[in-house]
Amino acid sequence: MPRTAFFPRRAATLLTALVLSLMSVLAAGGPVRAAVPLERVTSFGSNPGNLVMYRYVPAGLAAGSPVVVLLHGCGQRAQEYADNAGWRKFADADGFALVVAEQQSANNLSRCFNWFEPGDVARGGGEALSIRQMVDHTLGSLAADPDRVYVTGLSAGGAMTASLLAAYPDVFAGGAVIAGVPHGCASGMLGAFSCMYPGRAETAQSWGDRVRAAYPGYTGRRPAVSLWHGGADHTVATANLAESVKQWTNVLGGDQQPDAISQLPAGTIRSAYHTGAGAPPVIGYLTPGNGHGTPVAPGDGAQQCGNAAAYFLASLCSSYHIAADWGLTD
């Protein structure tokens, strides 16, 4: 049955909008002017999650290039996120494709990815499978590199990023969760509210078990994970950063004691947590003065990107640092 015809769930999205109102990021000041329109892809698979696919392919992109998937926050659009987060600059400069998924109000009235719905984050179904199908379509149509597929997102998109890393560790080489929550924090709408604020505390083992349960028996490589949060985020509590560090260090074989700490622009503290042999580090980024949004740094410098707008916070270019962590920048 098409999800748009599943009336009980559609009716429940009204409650979703109310419960998750703190996550709404409806932009003020009118629509964003697009520098380069994204290409809409209308046929990419069975699309069980009823999502919309857009992509950006730099001119002359070579076969074997990486792919980066972008997931917007609640209330945002794919084009808005691509324009303001600054990823297109690095796609052009460093040679990789962008896949930008967009939520529909038929699925969630606030256009949040449904990270709190078990059927939408489980391997093999829902919105998570739709995103995986977007990746598969892009790999096939562009002859892109299946070993260099990455995903990042803000807020609800960040929470969905965590779940994609849990459910599809064989698809994604790395992910960056911006102002999100640990995978498996909620299994329904009401639980999502408390996960967001004040946050939910669990042991590292408990959090790690939730990731392992997303793909039982998986013994292959795990993706690299970076975790971004603002110290003044009153929408998704900053405590979620520490809980996410617990989760991913446990999965990758490390502890919660940082092994290397450095300072970046806007007072951002970068903490790297070494993990098991052959596993990537978990990297945490805390910008004390930032509230809820994607960190950007407008300008033309090598480490600058993006546009300051509602929920795009002038501080540092997160897209640059994420791409560098993944080895995508020169």
Side-chain angles (χ1 to χ4, degrees):
M1 179 184 297
R3 293 176 56 188
T4 51
F6 190 20
F7 292 119
R9 182 173 181 180
R10 297 286 72 77
T13 57
L14 178 59
L15 179 58
T16 304
L18 296 173
V19 171
L20 302 183
S21 61
L22 287 176
M23 291 182 70
S24 179
V25 290
L26 296 172
V32 175
R33 185 180 300 277
V36 179
L38 297 172
E39 171 195 3
R40 180 166 180 175
V41 180
T42 57
S43 180
F44 57 87
S46 61
N47 191 16
N50 192 33
L51 301 180
V52 180
M53 176 183 176
Y54 293 90
R55 73 179 184 183
Y56 174 72
V57 182
L61 184 68
S65 296
V67 176
V68 174
V69 178
L70 306 181
L71 304 177
H72 61 75
C74 298
Q76 295 178 326
R77 298 287 191 183
Q79 186 77 58
E80 174 188 1
Y81 199 79
D83 288 341
N84 285 339
W87 275 100
R88 192 154 39 208
K89 171 179 178 176
F90 303 110
D92 286 334
D94 300 305
F96 53 85
L98 300 176
V99 171
V100 193
E102 185 173 278
Q103 181 62 285
Q104 301 197 80
S105 57
N107 300 330
N108 184 296
L109 288 179
S110 292
R111 294 202 306 276
C112 306
F113 291 102
N114 286 309
W115 58 272
F116 49 88
E117 293 284 358
D120 276 312
V121 299
R123 183 178 177 90
E127 293 175 9
L129 179 55
S130 289
I131 295 167
R132 194 252 169 88
Q133 290 176 347
M134 294 179 193
V135 169
D136 289 344
H137 176 85
T138 302
L139 292 174
S141 61
L142 300 181
D145 186 348
D147 293 326
R148 292 191 293 167
V149 179
Y150 306 89
V151 59
T152 182
L154 166 67
S155 193
M160 181 60 79
T161 293
S163 291
L164 287 168
L165 298 179
Y168 291 107
D170 53 334
V171 173
F172 296 100
V177 178
I178 303 175
V181 300
H183 166 70
C185 187
S187 58
M189 293 175 289
L190 295 178
F193 184 82
S194 60
C195 283
M196 290 158 47
Y197 208 95
R200 178 174 177 175
E202 298 260 357
T203 66
Q205 182 69 37
S206 176
W207 282 130
D209 286 345
R210 292 168 189 265
V211 171
R212 288 181 284 270
Y215 189 0
Y218 179 73
T219 58
R221 65 151 174 88
R222 293 279 180 179
V225 182
S226 65
L227 305 160
W228 291 73
H229 227 100
D233 191 336
H234 302 299
T235 299
V236 178
T238 308
N240 282 293
L241 175 58
E243 297 303 307
S244 293
V245 167
K246 287 182 189 179
Q247 181 167 71
W248 292 105
T249 53
N250 180 266
V251 169
L252 290 167
D255 58 31
Q256 293 84 59
Q257 297 300 316
D259 297 283
I261 299 175
S262 56
Q263 189 159 320
L264 301 176
T268 299
I269 300 169
R270 181 186 189 272
S271 301
Y273 302 81
H274 295 170
T275 55
V282 173
I283 304 175
Y285 292 84
L286 176 64
T287 307
N290 273 3
H292 191 66
T294 297
V296 297
D300 296 325
Q303 297 186 21
Q304 292 180 288
C305 72
N307 304 304
Y311 303 94
F312 295 92
L313 311 176
S315 47
L316 78 165
C317 173
S318 56
S319 301
Y320 167 80
H321 292 283
I322 293 167
D325 287 340
W326 293 339
L328 297 182
T329 57
D330 292 332

